[in-house]
Amino acid sequence: MRAIWKGAVSFGLVSISVKLYSATEEKDIRFHQVHRADGGRIKYQRVCSLDGEQVSYDQIAKGYDVGGGEIVVLTDDDFKNLPLTSSRAIEVLEFVPNEQIDPILYDKAYFLEPDGAAGVKPYLLLREALENVDRVAVVKVALRQRETLATVRVHEGVLVLNTMLWPDEVREAAFDFLDDEVKLRPQEIKMAASLVDSMSGDFRPEEFTDSYREALQQVIDVKIGKKDTVVQPTTEEPIAPTIDLMAALRESVERARAARGGAPAPEEKRTGHATVTPIKKTAKAEPEQAEPAPKKAAARKAAPAKAASATTASAKGGAAQSEAKKSTAKKAAAKKAPAKKAKAA
């Protein structure tokens, strides 16, 4: 690692010379904009929007937009007059409990290393003191021509400087739902707590990986000939909206316990008949598979009754047809009788 800053941690009359290193690095795969036809890199020119001429770096200054199209230009001389540009001190303001600092304030992390043999002993003393009292040091430091708030804490035996946002840089969470009066039933709160308990564990960051970056790297390896095929990452089924909150919580608890090899949750009294769409397909329980057998037996018993009913209906249908034929014959005979009388006259 290469040191990006040198200075001193000062608290009281004690001063510790330190070097600053970036504690994190981005692993994202970066791309360049290229010409699709031949792969040539795309270059951008620095052109003034007013006169259309290309501008070199030595002619570029910083400008502050006042509004209304007016720009205030700041030169290097303006920044040289600021007192913080040459500050090399990490000034400890106070020591506070770690839990009193909201994690939303943290920005970037840097390792601190003693600069020279003279700084090792006071460095170790500060480290031991912070670990014994379980506190962090709130400090001010000037990095990249800007003063920022930060903390110094212990991480795996090394002092770590965490830069922080200023309080007025954190937005207020002003949402309408916070003013709504939503009543939560005690059983819902209890079931939610049970779900949290069933899914509790120790955080092991090494167990988590960037699946998207790995899949993208496979695509790149295929392009450069290192691999023949790409393994498509597995995707979960979309989560459907649930109807009954209690049923969803109950089923989530059962699945979480089953996934961890624990005993299923005891069956509670269900108050609603709403259905819950499962997130993943699960095997049906054995009692549900055994239910169709009685239905088949009932169907077999009903078969003779249906056959007898069909025979009776057939007999009735035959008798009805016979009666219909007799009635038709009588009507035909009645129509022929007047004709015979007319001939006799």
Side-chain angles (χ1 to χ4, degrees):
M1 291 188 293
R2 183 176 63 89
I4 61 174
W5 184 88
K6 290 183 179 182
V9 178
S10 60
F11 59 104
L13 299 178
V14 180
S15 180
I16 308 171
S17 297
V18 293
K19 296 179 182 179
L20 195 71
Y21 301 85
S22 295
T24 60
E25 58 181 341
E26 293 185 2
K27 293 289 187 177
D28 290 343
I29 299 175
R30 297 182 178 275
F31 297 97
H32 298 291
Q33 289 187 330
V34 298
H35 188 196
R36 188 188 300 272
D38 54 17
R41 290 278 298 272
I42 303 299
K43 295 183 178 180
Y44 293 92
Q45 295 180 342
R46 297 169 298 277
V47 178
C48 178
S49 61
L50 297 180
D51 56 22
E53 295 184 1
Q54 187 173 351
V55 182
S56 59
Y57 275 114
D58 59 347
Q59 296 178 333
I60 297 177
K62 292 181 173 64
Y64 178 78
D65 190 353
V66 181
E70 185 178 358
I71 299 292
V72 175
V73 179
L74 299 176
T75 63
D76 293 339
D77 293 334
D78 295 323
F79 289 100
K80 287 180 180 178
N81 294 328
L82 297 177
L84 298 176
T85 55
S86 60
S87 177
R88 292 288 177 178
I90 301 177
E91 180 186 359
V92 177
L93 303 178
E94 58 182 349
F95 296 95
V96 300
N98 188 24
E99 61 272 10
Q100 291 184 359
I101 300 178
D102 194 327
I104 198 174
L105 293 172
Y106 285 125
D107 189 12
K108 294 181 180 180
Y110 301 91
F111 290 135
L112 294 177
E113 178 195 23
D115 187 10
V120 173
K121 187 173 183 179
Y123 181 98
L124 296 178
L125 287 174
L126 177 59
R127 184 193 67 181
E128 294 300 318
L130 291 176
E131 286 186 331
N132 291 337
V133 298
D134 193 21
R135 288 176 177 257
V136 297
V138 178
V139 303
K140 274 188 179 182
V141 60
L143 297 175
R144 297 182 179 89
Q145 298 182 347
R146 180 187 173 185
E147 186 181 60
T148 182
L149 195 65
T151 62
V152 174
R153 61 186 179 87
V154 181
H155 173 72
E156 296 182 353
V158 179
L159 294 180
V160 175
L161 176 79
N162 278 101
T163 58
M164 301 171 63
L165 302 173
W166 296 101
D168 58 356
E169 292 180 317
V170 179
R171 294 178 176 177
E172 182 183 0
F175 299 103
D176 294 337
F177 80 92
L178 296 175
D179 298 328
D180 297 339
E181 294 184 2
V182 180
K183 293 184 178 180
L184 299 176
R185 295 185 297 169
Q187 55 267 37
E188 292 175 342
I189 299 176
K190 183 179 179 181
M191 187 60 67
S194 179
L195 175 59
V196 172
D197 182 67
S198 62
M199 297 178 65
S200 297
D202 296 326
F203 178 63
R204 298 179 178 88
E206 64 276 3
E207 296 179 357
F208 302 92
T209 58
D210 189 347
S211 58
Y212 175 82
R213 188 183 70 198
E214 293 174 354
L216 181 58
Q217 187 63 54
Q218 288 184 2
V219 174
I220 295 174
D221 291 342
V222 170
K223 286 285 186 179
I224 61 179
K226 289 185 178 180
K227 289 187 177 182
D228 297 329
T229 58
V230 175
V231 179
Q232 295 294 336
T234 57
T235 57
E236 295 185 358
E237 298 179 7
I239 301 176
T242 55
I243 299 175
D244 189 340
L245 181 59
M246 279 296 296
L249 289 171
R250 184 183 296 108
E251 185 169 348
S252 298
V253 171
E254 293 174 356
R255 290 184 181 182
R257 290 181 176 176
R260 292 174 177 266
E267 190 68 20
E268 298 181 5
K269 183 179 180 181
R270 306 194 179 202
T271 58
H273 301 283
T275 58
V276 178
T277 305
I279 298 175
K280 294 181 180 178
K281 295 181 180 179
T282 55
K284 294 182 178 180
E286 294 182 358
E288 293 181 358
Q289 294 178 347
E291 287 181 357
K295 294 182 179 179
K296 291 182 180 179
R300 291 175 182 172
K301 292 180 180 180
K306 290 183 178 179
S309 175
T311 305
T312 305
S314 178
K316 291 181 179 180
Q321 290 177 359
S322 177
E323 291 294 332
K325 289 180 180 179
K326 290 181 181 180
S327 176
T328 304
K330 289 180 180 180
K331 290 180 180 179
K335 291 179 180 179
K336 293 180 180 179
K340 291 180 180 180
K341 290 180 181 181
K343 289 180 180 180

